[in-house]
Amino acid sequence: MTPEQVAAASKPAVLELGDLFSRCPGTLRRARLLGISGWAFYITGRAGALGDVRAETVAAALGFIAPEAVAEGWDAAARVVRPLEVATVNLAECCRWGAQHLDDLPGMPRLAALLERVVAAADATGMPLFAAWRAMPVPQHAAGARAAVALLLLREHFTGAYLLAVRAGGMTPLEAVLAGPEGEAGASACGWSPPYPPVGPLVRRRLWAEAMTDRLTSTAFRALRAGEGAELVELLAATRALLAGAAPR
């Protein structure tokens, strides 16, 4: 497999697995212990790695969430706790989830090692969230925790690359969300209010942006040796299948 093929094949599993910890009941309980809402925790947990910046900066970095919805979550959290503290808690929860749900899965030390090599080789240019997260120290070093953090980082890398590709393709973030699989429901979930622009003319541009995302992220996968790309794809698929069939814990 070429690096671009590995990027394309890895992307669906990374986008799904890299976000699972944020929906874990234990993670949501930590939000309540901080005294903030789940939405405030989600926004600040993702963007708090940027530090004490304005909501407008956060909205620009996140891209696909409506600026008003970003400001609502960011400002509400900032009245209670510093953003970096929320991000630190979020990272700890990611590690906890990884240790609990991934540590005992087959091939996990190997998956963690491959993911970490890709993350280390990734170009962070134009991707402030990915760069900020990669600079944060990882509090746990068990294989499952390392894999969970690497998945989180690689997810931010894919998302950052997609945002760059969307803008290069002449689409707004809202148009990209509307042209995606969830359509208007996805736009509403991201805080965008109707009326929405028509989707039809956007589909071809979105497909171009998806292909460009694979190209932009492929440079990170060049860190893998011959055969390791296919191995990574197989390990991600196996992990995804095992988690899908596991009973909730």
Side-chain angles (χ1 to χ4, degrees), residues 168-217:
M171 281 194 297
T172 67
L174 169 58
E175 289 173 335
V177 174
L178 287 170
E182 297 182 3
E184 292 188 0
S188 179
C190 289
W192 300 98
S193 300
Y196 300 123
V199 174
L202 305 174
V203 174
R204 183 172 296 179
R205 289 187 180 184
R206 177 181 173 272
L207 292 174
W208 181 91
E210 290 281 3
M212 181 56 63
T213 300
D214 299 336
R215 185 173 302 174
L216 288 171
T217 55

Side-chain angles (χ1 to χ4, degrees), residues 40-88:
F41 185 82
Y42 174 76
I43 293 294
T44 312
R46 272 192 71 193
L50 297 170
D52 295 319
V53 298
R54 295 181 182 275
E56 292 85 354
T57 302
V58 176
L62 291 174
F64 296 106
I65 303 175
E68 296 81 3
V70 170
E72 179 184 344
W74 183 261
D75 292 340
R79 288 192 289 267
V80 179
V81 61
R82 294 192 66 180
L84 187 57
E85 182 178 341
V86 182
T88 301

Side-chain angles (χ1 to χ4, degrees), residues 3-213:
E4 194 166 332
Q5 289 172 328
V6 177
S10 300
K11 183 168 59 179
V14 169
L15 293 177
E16 179 183 327
L17 296 174
D19 188 50
L20 281 181
F21 84 94
S22 70
R23 299 194 296 273
C24 174
T27 303
L28 299 177
R29 281 195 295 271
R30 285 299 299 271
R32 290 194 293 271
L33 290 173
L34 286 173
I36 59 178
S37 69
W39 179 249
F41 185 82
Y42 174 76
I43 293 294
T44 312
R46 272 192 71 193
L50 297 170
D52 295 319
V53 298
R54 295 181 182 275
E56 292 85 354
T57 302
V58 176
L62 291 174
F64 296 106
I65 303 175
E68 296 81 3
V70 170
E72 179 184 344
W74 183 261
D75 292 340
R79 288 192 289 267
V80 179
V81 61
R82 294 192 66 180
L84 187 57
E85 182 178 341
V86 182
T88 301
V89 169
N90 198 43
L91 186 60
E93 286 302 302
C94 179
C95 287
R96 177 200 58 78
W97 180 87
Q100 182 179 1
H101 292 269
L102 302 180
D103 221 32
D104 295 332
L105 297 186
M108 195 48 54
R110 179 62 172 164
L111 176 60
L114 292 174
L115 288 169
E116 287 171 339
R117 279 167 50 197
V118 173
V119 166
D123 184 352
T125 304
M127 303 181 192
L129 272 183
F130 170 70
W133 273 110
R134 188 167 61 177
M136 291 189 67
V138 180
Q140 292 189 35
H141 299 286
R146 287 168 44 220
V149 172
L151 286 164
L152 181 158
L153 289 168
L154 197 51
R155 186 179 192 276
E156 290 293 357
H157 186 56
F158 273 120
T159 304
Y162 184 53
L163 182 58
L164 292 175
V166 163
R167 301 301 291 126
M171 281 194 297
T172 67
L174 169 58
E175 289 173 335
V177 174
L178 287 170
E182 297 182 3
E184 292 188 0
S188 179
C190 289
W192 300 98
S193 300
Y196 300 123
V199 174
L202 305 174
V203 174
R204 183 172 296 179
R205 289 187 180 184
R206 177 181 173 272
L207 292 174
W208 181 91
E210 290 281 3
M212 181 56 63
T213 300

